[in-house]
Amino acid sequence: MRHRCRYFSVAQNNWNARKGLVLGVYESEEEDDSLHLTESAAGVNRVLSGKLTELLKISGPGLKKGKSRIFYGLHEDFPCIAVVGLGRNSLGVCGTEYWDTCKENIRAAIAGGCRVLQNHVLTHIEVDGCNDSQSAAEGAVLGLFTYDDLKTKKKTRVTTQLHGSGCVSGWEKGVLYGEGQNLARYLMEAPANHVTPSVFADTITNRLAPYADHVIVHKRYRGWIEEQQMGAFLSVSKGSEEPPVFLELHYNGCPDNAQCPLLLVGKGCSIHCPPSGMDAMRADMGGAATVCSAIITAAALNLPINIIGLAPLCENMPSGKANKPGDVVTAKNGKTIQVDNTDAEGRLILADALCYAHSFNPRAIVNAATLTGAMDVALGSAATGVFTNSDWLWEQLHKASVVTGDRVWRMPLFQHYTRQVTDCQLADLNNVGKYSRSGGACTAAAFLREFVTAPHWAHLDIAGVMTNKDEVPYLKKGMSGRPTRTLVEFAAGLANQA
């Protein structure tokens, strides 16, 4: 007993180090409560002469997936050790869930363990790679994110690093994936008066500054937008005193390669005026946030691919200058649009951006937007809805989403919906379907298709995945930044095919 007390007191003297450790354990493949330590956990257990496994056995039943236990004073270098349950090690890609279950379990468990230690006011945490350092890093970085810039009291800022001899390159990659999504979360979470179109463009420009050797940024303003005859985009912006900005990013990961670029387009409308849910509309520029964050991450990873990103940024505000129901505007391709719903502004913004995207002869065009509440009704937060004219493009996006766990689901792009937006009394197109709410996400996609001639195009409606309550355990409540990691993984997959 004396020896045990002295051991704990020695560790307590090192509390000022404020270091923590997260270790993983697997469930038994059999129907019992036995546990199997990861390689890093087993190494710590040997250093502690088996004390870790001893305490796990006497502290309760087997540690189930996502659960954790905290031990104090076991290790003189780590005042707190969180042991987290990873589920079964034999699980892989699930044919019904369409994700890699092991990866998702690791992300969730590591995120939970890091949060517990953060609540203990620890400032540095070492993390078990759990035989998948990238997923562990993603869980740590995503799980610790907090937007508290405008609060007086801040959460403890925590740094993380890989513990033991795991895959360092995988860890570093996972950190970049997580930081990319966190940037999108930051931009979506910030109030509209703090992230105006101009501030958004400046933020992205500053984040890309370290990669100036292979990134070019163009911030286009009203004069250029008018020259491009982007009448639909301009019609949305005219109700606000904030000037519109058309942000254009060129990432040249293969500067000597004449390959056609991947085109990513993100809708960036800082605020608009819906009948309900006003508080969440600060995130209505989530499409631009995820697309720009994905390009920043691609640059950080030095992916061998050329990507062009387009982000039309503006505010949709009520005023005497704003669009009125029944107004007719003309898009860049000459098509006229009857604006029957001024709240359906996202498709107007995207229409001109999609027309402009074709001028680069792209390999594929992927646009992302928090476009319709109907998508939230259809899929909820389980997956991003994908409307595409290309089976090849769908396969690439779907494959990427299985890896990241940030899933996508293919939606119909039938002529049935096209007829509902082309049957218009005053113009070529109506910005809402003739049957109003019926199939709203599908008619919005059909509207966008009228501005696309490229053979490989996909529209990602991310309205359903915009926020997180408690559905994704490694994301806290708030704006999700989804599907940034899937876009990055998708670009990485195309780079490997080049």
Side-chain angles (χ1 to χ4, degrees), residues 261-490:
L262 168 63
L263 236 302
L264 300 179
V265 183
K267 168 203 157 193
C269 190
S270 298
I271 186 171
H272 71 186
C273 303
S276 63
M278 182 75 74
D279 61 318
M281 287 304 101
R282 65 186 185 277
D284 207 29
M285 30 62 69
T290 55
V291 161
C292 292
S293 298
I295 292 174
I296 291 171
T297 306
L301 291 165
N302 198 27
L303 292 182
I305 186 174
N306 295 332
I307 307 174
I308 296 176
L310 306 177
L313 308 168
C314 71
E315 290 186 346
N316 182 31
M317 298 288 287
S319 77
K321 300 177 182 179
N323 278 335
K324 302 173 291 295
D327 282 1
V328 175
V329 300
T330 304
K332 180 175 171 60
N333 66 350
K335 289 189 177 182
T336 55
I337 305 165
Q338 181 175 333
V339 183
D340 275 358
N341 186 345
T342 58
D343 186 38
E345 88 296 337
R347 62 203 72 180
L348 301 178
I349 296 169
L350 284 173
D352 284 335
L354 287 171
C355 292
Y356 180 64
H358 287 75
S359 64
F360 298 100
N361 187 30
R363 181 180 182 184
I365 301 175
V366 176
N367 72 259
T370 52
L371 204 63
T372 65
M375 181 52 64
D376 185 29
V377 173
L379 295 181
S381 59
T384 292
V386 176
F387 300 83
T388 180
N389 61 358
S390 167
D391 291 341
W392 168 80
L393 188 52
W394 159 249
E395 290 170 3
Q396 305 309 309
L397 288 165
H398 180 251
K399 182 168 64 174
S401 76
V402 171
V403 174
T404 64
D406 196 350
R407 297 172 291 191
V408 296
W409 191 257
R410 192 169 188 178
M411 301 291 289
L413 199 60
F414 301 148
Q415 286 295 317
H416 172 88
Y417 301 112
T418 300
R419 289 191 291 270
Q420 293 182 39
V421 295
T422 56
D423 185 3
C424 179
Q425 183 177 357
L426 301 178
D428 298 323
L429 298 166
N430 199 305
N431 78 324
V432 289
K434 64 186 292 187
Y435 301 124
S436 186
R437 295 174 61 85
S438 298
C442 301
T443 54
F447 176 91
L448 293 179
R449 191 180 190 180
E450 292 300 300
F451 302 91
V452 173
T453 58
H456 302 296
W457 162 71
H459 158 54
L460 276 57
D461 193 332
I462 63 174
V465 301
M466 180 179 77
T467 62
N468 190 69
K469 294 178 282 294
D470 55 9
E471 306 94 323
V472 181
Y474 48 87
L475 302 178
K476 294 179 181 177
K477 182 179 179 181
M479 302 306 166
S480 70
R482 298 169 62 189
T484 302
R485 287 181 300 115
T486 293
L487 289 174
V488 175
E489 185 67 22
F490 161 67

Side-chain angles (χ1 to χ4, degrees), residues 3-4 7 37 41-55 57 74-75 81:
H3 175 74
R4 179 171 296 181
Y7 191 90
L37 303 181
V44 172
N45 189 51
R46 285 193 295 271
V47 170
L48 298 175
S49 302
K51 188 170 290 293
L52 181 64
T53 52
E54 178 185 342
L55 288 176
K57 289 177 182 178
L74 274 181
H75 198 296
I81 297 179

Side-chain angles (χ1 to χ4, degrees), residues 225-302:
I225 298 169
E226 290 173 346
E227 289 177 3
Q228 293 294 318
Q229 298 181 316
M230 296 183 176
F233 176 32
L234 285 170
S235 77
V236 176
S237 69
K238 65 185 182 182
S240 173
E241 293 299 319
E242 286 288 341
V245 180
F246 194 96
L247 185 62
E248 184 177 324
L249 312 176
H250 292 250
Y251 166 64
N252 300 307
C254 291
D256 299 326
N257 192 334
Q259 65 167 307
C260 297
L262 168 63
L263 236 302
L264 300 179
V265 183
K267 168 203 157 193
C269 190
S270 298
I271 186 171
H272 71 186
C273 303
S276 63
M278 182 75 74
D279 61 318
M281 287 304 101
R282 65 186 185 277
D284 207 29
M285 30 62 69
T290 55
V291 161
C292 292
S293 298
I295 292 174
I296 291 171
T297 306
L301 291 165
N302 198 27

